[in-house]
Amino acid sequence: TEVDAGSPALRNGLREGDVILEVNRARVESKSQVERELSRAQEGGKPVVFLVQRGTTTTFVSLPAAG
């Protein structure tokens, strides 16, 4: 996974190489699914919680609500 420099995701702990498995408990398998779930969260003003595979471990990374 690529993470844009200076992005909220990078500032809140998402790292290059992380594999996003879930966004707000919704299983995702493609970039378009990740984008769709992020859009839903933004529309609802909700924070975003990612479940990511980082090497051999899984961890949660959370982003506050946009705005």
Side-chain angles (χ1 to χ4, degrees), residues 19-64:
V19 177
I20 300 170
L21 303 173
E22 295 181 358
V23 178
N24 288 350
R25 297 196 172 261
R27 186 95 176 141
V28 293
E29 296 181 1
S30 69
K31 183 178 178 181
S32 63
Q33 288 178 316
V34 171
E35 290 169 348
R36 183 178 60 237
E37 293 304 324
L38 288 173
S39 238
R40 286 181 183 168
Q42 285 180 327
E43 288 171 4
K46 297 179 182 178
V48 178
V49 178
F50 295 101
L51 175 63
V52 299
Q53 179 80 38
R54 183 174 290 161
T56 59
T57 62
T58 55
T59 190
F60 288 99
V61 176
S62 61
L63 278 66

